[in-house]
Amino acid sequence: MQNGYEFNSWEFITAGGPVSMLVALVLLVMSVASWYFIVTKSIAVWRTRSAYKAYLAAFWQAPSLAAAVKQGQQASATGMARLAEKAVLAAEHHKLHAAKAVEIVAQDEFVARAMNRSIAEESANMESGLTVLASVGSVSPFVGLFGTVWGIYHALASISLSGQATLDKVAGPVGEALIMTAFGLAVAIPAVLAYNAIVRSNRALSAELEKFGYELHTLIITGAVMSTKRDAHKHNDAVQQTMHVVGASA
């Protein structure tokens, strides 16, 4: 059986005119943008997870809170390091200036507000770029579907002009038009999967940051950490010296 039509996606896109070429270009841009954020955000999540683990080990092994904060400043900045620095600065600022205020704010509330603001900033930084992945995952299938509809319309119009509406003449152009939908799905599926994976990783990192913030807040306010799973002997010396260091620096 002789094949009456040869599939050629590139010729189909160019034959579709400016609309088909624009749809293909939009899908290409979406694909490049989504893969850029997939790679960069995945690397960022991996680096952040490693940095958090290393910082926690170094923080609880430090001889004092001041030494732990100083180590965080000297090393590559992480969300936990910035959180600890802002929390200590807030505690010192409260001790220096709270007595001059007309309405005195409790130290625990003042420090907690500063830490919550820092955690919100870190969460916003981790979520940067995810809007692009979400938009690509939700929009690209419809862009591909629009290209399919336009391609089918263009193919049927060309067939009607030729006067040949046999199956071998119709199946080729219509089937090739459906490739635009496949292109849209090929762009959307990686973006959706990566978005879900990165969001889940960011939630786990945010939970680690909040847990560290709770322990740090307890340490600054009470001078001791309410430890559950962590062995208290590992940082008992640091706890005993913490409030003395903060008080001396104030």
Side-chain angles (χ1 to χ4, degrees), residues 16-185:
V19 175
S20 295
M21 290 188 288
L22 179 61
V23 170
L25 179 61
V26 170
L27 289 176
L28 178 62
V29 172
M30 285 184 173
S31 179
V32 172
S34 64
W35 277 106
Y36 169 78
F37 283 106
I38 289 172
V39 174
T40 56
K41 297 301 292 184
S42 299
I43 294 175
V45 167
W46 177 77
R47 288 180 175 177
T48 303
R49 185 181 294 111
S50 301
Y52 278 11
K53 185 180 299 184
Y55 182 81
L56 280 176
F59 183 89
W60 295 118
Q61 292 176 1
S64 64
L65 180 59
V69 173
K70 187 176 181 180
Q71 290 178 0
Q73 294 174 345
Q74 293 175 350
S76 57
T78 65
M80 288 184 177
R82 289 187 289 267
L83 176 62
E85 182 180 0
K86 292 180 180 179
V88 172
L89 289 177
E92 294 177 350
H93 180 83
H94 184 273
K95 288 185 178 182
L96 289 174
H97 303 287
K100 302 177 183 179
V102 178
E103 297 180 1
I104 300 177
V105 180
Q107 185 186 33
D108 60 341
E109 182 179 356
F110 186 81
V111 175
R113 289 180 181 178
M115 296 177 70
N116 290 335
R117 183 169 60 251
S118 179
I119 292 175
E121 292 174 356
E122 297 299 330
S123 299
N125 291 334
M126 288 189 291
E127 293 176 0
S128 63
L130 293 181
T131 304
V132 176
L133 292 179
S135 300
V136 170
S138 59
V139 172
S140 56
F142 297 101
V143 176
L145 182 60
F146 174 78
T148 295
V149 172
W150 179 261
I152 292 176
Y153 164 77
H154 195 271
L156 293 178
S158 299
I159 292 172
S160 64
L161 291 176
S162 65
Q164 298 179 349
T166 58
L167 183 61
D168 60 336
K169 297 297 183 181
V170 174
V174 173
E176 197 163 71
L178 293 174
I179 294 177
M180 296 297 287
T181 300
F183 288 165
L185 293 176

Side-chain angles (χ1 to χ4, degrees), residues 194-217:
Y195 174 82
N196 293 333
I198 294 173
V199 167
R200 181 179 179 182
S201 299
N202 286 344
R203 287 177 180 174
L205 293 175
S206 297
E208 288 292 328
L209 188 62
E210 291 179 359
K211 178 182 177 182
F212 171 73
Y214 172 77
E215 294 178 347
L216 179 61
H217 180 265

